[in-house]
Amino acid sequence: MKTTDEQELIQQLHDPKQKRKAFEQIVNAFSQPLYWQIRRMVAYHDDADDVLQNTFLKAWSNIDTFRGDAKLSTWLFRIAHNETLTFLSKQRETISIDTNITDDDDDAPLTLANTLESDPYFDGDETEALLHTAIAALPDKQRAVFNMKYFQEMKYEDMSDITGTSVGALKASYHLAVKKIEEFFHRQE
């Protein structure tokens, strides 16, 4: 979205007569990229849709406090990032409570990867399936950083705005994620 379009949308969001229509434009423009940011972290399509819906609900309820200091896209991606991490945390607690599985469960990454592979939205080959398995084994925050950099080709500065993490820490996190993925592939040989 161009800066002038974004500024115009922000002005419309603050006009009660145009607010709803402007927000519809935001939903139309950002649904797909936000969905894929979430989907790369969340195993099930339906869960990703729920997180996306929560993202837009949170954005709608806080739209009056959005001042435009950050780009609208950055603000939305940050909400989606936080909602995704919250969802994963709650999911982990539920699984741990329901089945007494600990966070160190070695089957969790395989379960996530198998879920992604069996999903009708997944159309990758064996190498891509292995990549998803390796990514699924990463800690949530490292996985988020890897996905933003690798799949979305996001700049570290934008990632920093989204995650609230320093550029240096993001670079280190990405480097560690790449190393872990490389090690995973070496073990597969």
PDB file of all heavy atoms in Angstrom, residues 96-114:
ATOM      1  N   SER A  96      -0.671 -29.082  27.431  1.00  0.00           N
ATOM      2  CA  SER A  96       0.044 -29.520  28.619  1.00  0.00           C
ATOM      3  C   SER A  96      -0.922 -29.944  29.719  1.00  0.00           C
ATOM      4  O   SER A  96      -0.723 -30.955  30.373  1.00  0.00           O
ATOM      5  CB  SER A  96       0.949 -28.395  29.113  1.00  0.00           C
ATOM      6  OG  SER A  96       1.660 -28.793  30.247  1.00  0.00           O
ATOM      7  N   ILE A  97      -1.985 -29.188  29.907  1.00  0.00           N
ATOM      8  CA  ILE A  97      -2.970 -29.510  30.936  1.00  0.00           C
ATOM      9  C   ILE A  97      -3.747 -30.766  30.556  1.00  0.00           C
ATOM     10  O   ILE A  97      -3.936 -31.668  31.364  1.00  0.00           O
ATOM     11  CB  ILE A  97      -3.945 -28.330  31.156  1.00  0.00           C
ATOM     12  CG1 ILE A  97      -3.199 -27.172  31.811  1.00  0.00           C
ATOM     13  CG2 ILE A  97      -5.145 -28.746  31.991  1.00  0.00           C
ATOM     14  CD1 ILE A  97      -3.972 -25.866  31.823  1.00  0.00           C
ATOM     15  N   ASP A  98      -4.181 -30.852  29.303  1.00  0.00           N
ATOM     16  CA  ASP A  98      -5.019 -31.966  28.863  1.00  0.00           C
ATOM     17  C   ASP A  98      -4.282 -33.292  28.801  1.00  0.00           C
ATOM     18  O   ASP A  98      -4.857 -34.335  29.073  1.00  0.00           O
ATOM     19  CB  ASP A  98      -5.614 -31.681  27.476  1.00  0.00           C
ATOM     20  CG  ASP A  98      -6.668 -30.599  27.513  1.00  0.00           C
ATOM     21  OD1 ASP A  98      -7.101 -30.224  28.622  1.00  0.00           O
ATOM     22  OD2 ASP A  98      -7.066 -30.132  26.423  1.00  0.00           O
ATOM     23  N   THR A  99      -3.028 -33.266  28.419  1.00  0.00           N
ATOM     24  CA  THR A  99      -2.342 -34.533  28.173  1.00  0.00           C
ATOM     25  C   THR A  99      -1.048 -34.687  28.954  1.00  0.00           C
ATOM     26  O   THR A  99      -0.314 -35.646  28.734  1.00  0.00           O
ATOM     27  CB  THR A  99      -2.028 -34.674  26.673  1.00  0.00           C
ATOM     28  OG1 THR A  99      -1.185 -33.600  26.294  1.00  0.00           O
ATOM     29  CG2 THR A  99      -3.283 -34.686  25.836  1.00  0.00           C
ATOM     30  N   ASN A 100      -0.761 -33.722  29.817  1.00  0.00           N
ATOM     31  CA  ASN A 100       0.479 -33.744  30.589  1.00  0.00           C
ATOM     32  C   ASN A 100       1.714 -33.798  29.701  1.00  0.00           C
ATOM     33  O   ASN A 100       2.712 -34.404  30.037  1.00  0.00           O
ATOM     34  CB  ASN A 100       0.483 -34.911  31.581  1.00  0.00           C
ATOM     35  CG  ASN A 100      -0.538 -34.717  32.666  1.00  0.00           C
ATOM     36  OD1 ASN A 100      -0.776 -33.606  33.117  1.00  0.00           O
ATOM     37  ND2 ASN A 100      -1.173 -35.804  33.084  1.00  0.00           N
ATOM     38  N   ILE A 101       1.634 -33.179  28.540  1.00  0.00           N
ATOM     39  CA  ILE A 101       2.786 -33.081  27.650  1.00  0.00           C
ATOM     40  C   ILE A 101       3.573 -31.846  28.068  1.00  0.00           C
ATOM     41  O   ILE A 101       3.006 -30.797  28.294  1.00  0.00           O
ATOM     42  CB  ILE A 101       2.345 -32.947  26.176  1.00  0.00           C
ATOM     43  CG1 ILE A 101       1.624 -34.213  25.733  1.00  0.00           C
ATOM     44  CG2 ILE A 101       3.530 -32.648  25.276  1.00  0.00           C
ATOM     45  CD1 ILE A 101       1.023 -34.116  24.346  1.00  0.00           C
ATOM     46  N   THR A 102       4.874 -31.973  28.104  1.00  0.00           N
ATOM     47  CA  THR A 102       5.694 -30.830  28.465  1.00  0.00           C
ATOM     48  C   THR A 102       6.081 -30.069  27.211  1.00  0.00           C
ATOM     49  O   THR A 102       5.924 -30.562  26.099  1.00  0.00           O
ATOM     50  CB  THR A 102       6.984 -31.283  29.196  1.00  0.00           C
ATOM     51  OG1 THR A 102       7.763 -32.031  28.267  1.00  0.00           O
ATOM     52  CG2 THR A 102       6.666 -32.114  30.419  1.00  0.00           C
ATOM     53  N   ASP A 103       6.642 -28.885  27.403  1.00  0.00           N
ATOM     54  CA  ASP A 103       7.118 -28.079  26.273  1.00  0.00           C
ATOM     55  C   ASP A 103       8.260 -28.767  25.539  1.00  0.00           C
ATOM     56  O   ASP A 103       8.569 -28.430  24.413  1.00  0.00           O
ATOM     57  CB  ASP A 103       7.606 -26.705  26.748  1.00  0.00           C
ATOM     58  CG  ASP A 103       6.455 -25.792  27.113  1.00  0.00           C
ATOM     59  OD1 ASP A 103       5.321 -26.107  26.746  1.00  0.00           O
ATOM     60  OD2 ASP A 103       6.726 -24.764  27.759  1.00  0.00           O
ATOM     61  N   ASP A 104       8.890 -29.741  26.184  1.00  0.00           N
ATOM     62  CA  ASP A 104      10.025 -30.427  25.568  1.00  0.00           C
ATOM     63  C   ASP A 104       9.589 -31.627  24.743  1.00  0.00           C
ATOM     64  O   ASP A 104      10.416 -32.423  24.322  1.00  0.00           O
ATOM     65  CB  ASP A 104      11.009 -30.894  26.659  1.00  0.00           C
ATOM     66  CG  ASP A 104      11.583 -29.722  27.435  1.00  0.00           C
ATOM     67  OD1 ASP A 104      11.727 -28.642  26.833  1.00  0.00           O
ATOM     68  OD2 ASP A 104      11.879 -29.895  28.627  1.00  0.00           O
ATOM     69  N   ASP A 105       8.300 -31.778  24.497  1.00  0.00           N
ATOM     70  CA  ASP A 105       7.794 -32.904  23.735  1.00  0.00           C
ATOM     71  C   ASP A 105       8.417 -32.914  22.337  1.00  0.00           C
ATOM     72  O   ASP A 105       8.230 -32.014  21.549  1.00  0.00           O
ATOM     73  CB  ASP A 105       6.272 -32.820  23.626  1.00  0.00           C
ATOM     74  CG  ASP A 105       5.679 -33.988  22.867  1.00  0.00           C
ATOM     75  OD1 ASP A 105       6.338 -35.044  22.819  1.00  0.00           O
ATOM     76  OD2 ASP A 105       4.572 -33.826  22.333  1.00  0.00           O
ATOM     77  N   ASP A 106       9.181 -33.982  22.037  1.00  0.00           N
ATOM     78  CA  ASP A 106       9.870 -34.079  20.753  1.00  0.00           C
ATOM     79  C   ASP A 106       8.923 -34.294  19.585  1.00  0.00           C
ATOM     80  O   ASP A 106       9.294 -34.076  18.439  1.00  0.00           O
ATOM     81  CB  ASP A 106      10.895 -35.219  20.788  1.00  0.00           C
ATOM     82  CG  ASP A 106      12.054 -34.903  21.725  1.00  0.00           C
ATOM     83  OD1 ASP A 106      12.322 -33.706  21.939  1.00  0.00           O
ATOM     84  OD2 ASP A 106      12.664 -35.850  22.245  1.00  0.00           O
ATOM     85  N   ASP A 107       7.701 -34.751  19.834  1.00  0.00           N
ATOM     86  CA  ASP A 107       6.755 -35.012  18.758  1.00  0.00           C
ATOM     87  C   ASP A 107       6.009 -33.763  18.297  1.00  0.00           C
ATOM     88  O   ASP A 107       5.396 -33.769  17.234  1.00  0.00           O
ATOM     89  CB  ASP A 107       5.717 -36.064  19.196  1.00  0.00           C
ATOM     90  CG  ASP A 107       6.367 -37.424  19.421  1.00  0.00           C
ATOM     91  OD1 ASP A 107       7.419 -37.689  18.800  1.00  0.00           O
ATOM     92  OD2 ASP A 107       5.824 -38.212  20.211  1.00  0.00           O
ATOM     93  N   ALA A 108       6.062 -32.690  19.068  1.00  0.00           N
ATOM     94  CA  ALA A 108       5.301 -31.487  18.722  1.00  0.00           C
ATOM     95  C   ALA A 108       5.682 -30.925  17.349  1.00  0.00           C
ATOM     96  O   ALA A 108       4.804 -30.647  16.547  1.00  0.00           O
ATOM     97  CB  ALA A 108       5.454 -30.431  19.812  1.00  0.00           C
ATOM     98  N   PRO A 109       6.988 -30.775  17.017  1.00  0.00           N
ATOM     99  CA  PRO A 109       7.318 -30.268  15.677  1.00  0.00           C
ATOM    100  C   PRO A 109       6.848 -31.201  14.565  1.00  0.00           C
ATOM    101  O   PRO A 109       6.389 -30.755  13.521  1.00  0.00           O
ATOM    102  CB  PRO A 109       8.843 -30.171  15.693  1.00  0.00           C
ATOM    103  CG  PRO A 109       9.217 -30.080  17.126  1.00  0.00           C
ATOM    104  CD  PRO A 109       8.171 -30.878  17.865  1.00  0.00           C
ATOM    105  N   LEU A 110       6.963 -32.504  14.787  1.00  0.00           N
ATOM    106  CA  LEU A 110       6.505 -33.455  13.772  1.00  0.00           C
ATOM    107  C   LEU A 110       5.003 -33.369  13.597  1.00  0.00           C
ATOM    108  O   LEU A 110       4.498 -33.435  12.477  1.00  0.00           O
ATOM    109  CB  LEU A 110       6.917 -34.887  14.151  1.00  0.00           C
ATOM    110  CG  LEU A 110       8.409 -35.177  14.078  1.00  0.00           C
ATOM    111  CD1 LEU A 110       8.702 -36.577  14.582  1.00  0.00           C
ATOM    112  CD2 LEU A 110       8.920 -35.000  12.661  1.00  0.00           C
ATOM    113  N   THR A 111       4.279 -33.210  14.698  1.00  0.00           N
ATOM    114  CA  THR A 111       2.835 -33.073  14.618  1.00  0.00           C
ATOM    115  C   THR A 111       2.465 -31.828  13.825  1.00  0.00           C
ATOM    116  O   THR A 111       1.600 -31.873  12.960  1.00  0.00           O
ATOM    117  CB  THR A 111       2.223 -32.999  16.039  1.00  0.00           C
ATOM    118  OG1 THR A 111       2.597 -34.181  16.741  1.00  0.00           O
ATOM    119  CG2 THR A 111       0.726 -32.877  15.990  1.00  0.00           C
ATOM    120  N   LEU A 112       3.122 -30.716  14.107  1.00  0.00           N
ATOM    121  CA  LEU A 112       2.863 -29.475  13.379  1.00  0.00           C
ATOM    122  C   LEU A 112       3.179 -29.652  11.898  1.00  0.00           C
ATOM    123  O   LEU A 112       2.388 -29.294  11.037  1.00  0.00           O
ATOM    124  CB  LEU A 112       3.679 -28.322  13.961  1.00  0.00           C
ATOM    125  CG  LEU A 112       3.569 -26.972  13.254  1.00  0.00           C
ATOM    126  CD1 LEU A 112       2.129 -26.479  13.239  1.00  0.00           C
ATOM    127  CD2 LEU A 112       4.469 -25.953  13.904  1.00  0.00           C
ATOM    128  N   ALA A 113       4.328 -30.224  11.592  1.00  0.00           N
ATOM    129  CA  ALA A 113       4.708 -30.420  10.185  1.00  0.00           C
ATOM    130  C   ALA A 113       3.742 -31.367   9.484  1.00  0.00           C
ATOM    131  O   ALA A 113       3.342 -31.122   8.347  1.00  0.00           O
ATOM    132  CB  ALA A 113       6.134 -30.956  10.105  1.00  0.00           C
ATOM    133  N   ASN A 114       3.351 -32.468  10.138  1.00  0.00           N
ATOM    134  CA  ASN A 114       2.403 -33.410   9.532  1.00  0.00           C
ATOM    135  C   ASN A 114       1.059 -32.745   9.291  1.00  0.00           C
ATOM    136  O   ASN A 114       0.403 -33.001   8.282  1.00  0.00           O
ATOM    137  CB  ASN A 114       2.227 -34.651  10.412  1.00  0.00           C
ATOM    138  CG  ASN A 114       3.461 -35.533  10.401  1.00  0.00           C
ATOM    139  OD1 ASN A 114       4.267 -35.482   9.490  1.00  0.00           O
ATOM    140  ND2 ASN A 114       3.610 -36.336  11.442  1.00  0.00           N
TER     141      ASN A 114
END
